[in-house]
């Protein structure tokens, strides 16, 4: 799959297409599932606290669909530059991803309307993890 990146060298911007080869998404869901199962029997009296935290986390993000744009590399989301409902153009920066101490612009793969943002500022992401959906 070809991915487009915009880079600037000495003030001159270049549009670069790269093909990801040999990338394997890291499974994050199986590691997270056993922890709540083990904690559930212990926390029978305080089961209301995790339920209060879950809506706050889902209020900032929406579930990812199959056509969601994914993270090109592991890193941390520094800034989200768009909101749900915003119109974007192809190759417009939508967020800043810090990877290996470098700030990388993540750009829109196509023109359209932002229909979902699946990450929050400060969140660590793995390759293949859903970032944003543009309809």
């Amino acid at each position: 799959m070809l991915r487009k990146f915009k880079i600037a060298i000495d003030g001159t911007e270049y549009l670069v297409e790269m093909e990801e080869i040999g990338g394997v998404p890291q499974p994050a869901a199986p590691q997270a599932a056993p922890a709540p199962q083990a904690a559930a029997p212990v926390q029978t009296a305080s089961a209301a606290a995790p339920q209060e935290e879950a809506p706050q986390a889902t209020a900032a993000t929406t579930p990812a669909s199959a056509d969601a744009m994914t993270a090109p590399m592991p890193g941390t989301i520094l800034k989200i530059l768009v909101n749900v409902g915003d119109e974007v153009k192809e190759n417009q920066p939508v967020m800043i991803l810090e990877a290996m101490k470098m700030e990388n612009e993540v750009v829109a793969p196509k023109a359209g309307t932002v229909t979902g943002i699946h990450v929050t500022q400060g969140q660590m992401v793995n390759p293949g993890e859903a970032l944003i959906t543009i309809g």
Side-chain angles (χ1 to χ4, degrees), residues 39-51:
V42 176
Q43 297 179 355
T44 55
S46 63
Q51 292 173 353

Side-chain angles (χ1 to χ4, degrees), residues 24-108:
V24 179
Q26 300 293 327
Q31 295 173 353
Q37 291 173 355
V42 176
Q43 297 179 355
T44 55
S46 63
Q51 292 173 353
E52 292 173 7
E53 292 176 15
Q56 292 173 355
T58 56
T61 61
T62 58
S65 63
D67 62 344
M69 188 173 87
T70 59
M73 63 188 91
T76 303
I77 303 298
L78 290 182
K79 290 182 188 175
I80 299 175
L81 306 172
V82 295
N83 294 311
V84 174
D86 287 356
E87 293 288 326
V88 294
K89 298 177 185 174
E90 185 174 5
N91 296 323
Q92 175 183 338
V94 293
M95 61 185 59
I96 306 294
L97 174 73
E98 180 185 40
M100 298 182 288
K101 298 186 180 184
M102 293 181 63
E103 292 183 11
N104 303 283
E105 285 185 340
V106 178
V107 297

